[in-house]
Amino acid sequence: MGLWVEPAETVNLETTWTTNKMAFTLEVPMNLLGRQQQHLASFSKSKPPSKLTPFTKKHHHSSFSISATLNTTIQSLDDTHLSQSKNLALPIMVNSCMGKMGQAVVEAGISAGLHIVPASFGIQQDAGKTIEVGGKNILVHGPSEREATLASILEQYPDLIIVDFTVPNAVNDNAELYCKTGVPFVMGTTGGDRDLLYKTVEESKLYAVISPQMGKQVVAFLAAMDIMSKQFPGAFSGYTLEVLESHQSTKLDTSGTAKAVISCFQKLGVSFDLDEVQLIRDPKQQIEMVGVPEEHLNGHAFHMYHLTSPDGTVSFEFQHNVCGRSIYAEGAIDAALFLAKKIQAKADKKIYDMIDVLREGSMR
């Protein structure tokens, strides 16, 4: 909507919201509109204008008022409550809650209004322990209890979805158990035998989101890399690649994100082996060489990819650095909500990744 107005010195703003309309009266300051005799003012339909700070400098005053009514589309309360109730009804089980990543997922799930099942799988020495996360008491079950425990939980929560952030050597055993029991899952744990993982899920015809990276913005970067590698294969032929990645010292394997990006560079014509990746796990090196803030030594993900042309005259550098775990936890919850929708819709496709979640606009 455009309105022709005369300049004014001060602002008076009155806004009235109705069920489907907005009405307001506005006086606009000369400094915002410029010194022309006539100016075009545009107003947003989505929210009332922000409060403006009055100017202290005195000027000659001229004033005008504008009245306008804007029609807006308002979602019905029934639709809103229905959507919220679906989220509230979704039960998720987070494995493992003894780890900081699992705890971050629990907290993100609570913030999203999901039901956190008060049980989690862990290592044998943690079996029987109860951990409090976000005000929820969660009982840890050891490896020997897993199958019976999961069957009992599934009986109580038939719509259960599992979010797995355990350790690399547990990936395949856990996935086999989830498939055998018939519990859809989000696999955020990296490592393990990935080919076997996909084969296990495919043969079971179970719904799952499997991704080495759960961070929303990093996923978008990976999607862009994937598109570039498919549209411009060989574009970096002859270039040399250096890859450096730094994570907290408890991360045992090479970053799954780094592996995915390297795969794209290989399709772009770069020759590179995974054992060439520089893994930085020493805290002193992380601070001095990589630049990791000391307070995030126990939870970070820094990646650098440096490309150099054959003659050394051209170079490219890609870098993405994450401090903390919230970006992954929120992405994992988005994936669980996405998976619940696919199950409800009885989608033909069963195995998804975070790029599928991103493409569908399922990020909160």
Side-chain angles (χ1 to χ4, degrees):
M1 176 185 70
L3 296 174
W4 288 94
V5 299
E6 290 292 332
E9 170 60 22
T10 59
V11 174
N12 290 319
L13 181 63
E14 297 177 2
T15 307
T16 302
W17 291 90
T18 61
T19 56
N20 65 345
K21 294 182 178 182
M22 181 187 77
F24 59 86
T25 301
L26 176 68
E27 293 183 349
V28 181
M30 185 183 299
N31 293 39
L32 290 182
L33 294 177
R35 300 186 180 278
Q36 304 297 326
Q37 291 300 312
Q38 293 182 325
H39 304 266
L40 182 63
S42 299
F43 305 94
S44 170
K45 298 183 180 182
S46 60
K47 59 182 180 179
S50 302
K51 182 178 179 181
L52 301 175
T53 304
F55 294 90
T56 55
K57 187 176 179 180
K58 294 183 179 180
H59 293 285
H60 175 70
H61 286 67
S62 59
S63 63
F64 64 88
S65 65
I66 303 170
S67 295
T69 299
L70 304 178
N71 290 324
T72 60
T73 301
I74 304 297
Q75 184 183 30
S76 71
L77 288 177
D78 288 343
D79 290 342
T80 302
H81 290 166
L82 178 61
S83 176
Q84 290 176 348
S85 66
K86 287 179 180 177
N87 288 351
L88 288 170
L90 179 63
I92 64 168
M93 178 181 181
V94 181
N95 297 328
S96 153
C97 285
M98 294 300 289
K100 292 182 179 179
M101 189 63 239
Q103 293 172 17
V105 174
V106 170
E107 291 172 350
I110 292 171
S111 296
L114 306 187
H115 178 75
I116 306 300
V117 173
S120 179
F121 293 155
I123 57 178
Q124 188 59 47
Q125 50 262 51
D126 291 330
K129 293 181 180 179
T130 298
I131 182 171
E132 182 180 342
V133 184
K136 304 285 185 180
N137 290 322
I138 300 172
L139 178 63
V140 179
H141 298 268
S144 62
E145 308 170 59
R146 295 186 317 154
E147 190 167 344
T149 298
L150 188 54
S152 176
I153 292 172
L154 184 60
E155 186 175 339
Q156 187 176 357
Y157 302 100
D159 297 325
L160 178 69
I161 290 178
I162 288 177
V163 178
D164 188 299
F165 277 99
T166 54
V167 292
N169 61 12
V171 166
N172 296 107
D173 285 344
N174 284 351
E176 186 176 347
L177 174 63
Y178 305 153
C179 291
K180 180 180 178 180
T181 315
V183 182
F185 65 93
V186 174
M187 181 60 74
T189 311
T190 60
D193 186 329
R194 305 308 276 191
D195 291 335
L196 178 59
L197 170 61
Y198 282 96
K199 181 181 178 182
T200 301
V201 181
E202 286 171 358
E203 290 178 351
S204 71
K205 302 187 186 310
L206 189 71
Y207 286 96
V209 173
I210 302 172
S211 178
Q213 172 59 250
M214 291 287 168
K216 306 173 187 181
Q217 291 74 22
V218 181
V219 169
F221 169 68
L222 288 175
M225 288 295 302
D226 183 58
I227 292 169
M228 182 168 67
S229 68
K230 289 176 179 177
Q231 294 191 0
F232 308 108
F236 285 92
S237 294
Y239 275 66
T240 57
L241 174 64
E242 296 175 77
V243 180
L244 180 151
E245 62 100 323
S246 173
H247 287 76
Q248 58 278 1
S249 59
T250 54
K251 182 169 177 58
L252 306 177
D253 60 330
T254 302
S255 161
T257 303
K259 291 177 181 178
V261 174
I262 290 168
S263 175
C264 291
F265 280 127
Q266 289 170 336
K267 294 173 185 175
L268 287 163
V270 177
S271 177
F272 188 87
D273 293 324
L274 288 177
D275 58 10
E276 297 178 62
V277 177
Q278 299 179 57
L279 303 181
I280 309 298
R281 297 293 184 268
D282 179 69
K284 184 177 180 181
Q285 286 186 319
Q286 290 173 338
I287 293 174
E288 297 176 356
M289 185 172 79
V290 184
V292 178
E294 187 172 357
E295 63 270 25
H296 291 294
L297 287 175
N298 291 327
H300 70 277
F302 280 38
H303 299 75
M304 187 276 289
Y305 315 90
H306 189 90
L307 291 158
T308 306
S309 64
D311 62 1
T313 60
V314 181
S315 66
F316 293 83
E317 188 168 285
F318 301 81
Q319 186 170 340
H320 52 93
N321 301 334
V322 175
C323 292
R325 296 175 173 85
S326 61
I327 185 175
Y328 311 118
E330 291 170 3
I333 294 302
D334 289 335
L337 292 169
F338 166 88
L339 199 58
K341 292 178 182 177
K342 293 300 179 183
I343 295 168
Q344 186 179 30
K346 298 180 179 180
D348 292 333
K349 184 176 178 178
K350 299 296 177 67
I351 303 177
Y352 301 89
D353 58 24
M354 286 300 287
I355 293 178
D356 293 315
V357 180
L358 187 65
R359 282 174 176 156
E360 192 152 309
S362 295
M363 299 296 196
R364 291 171 295 115

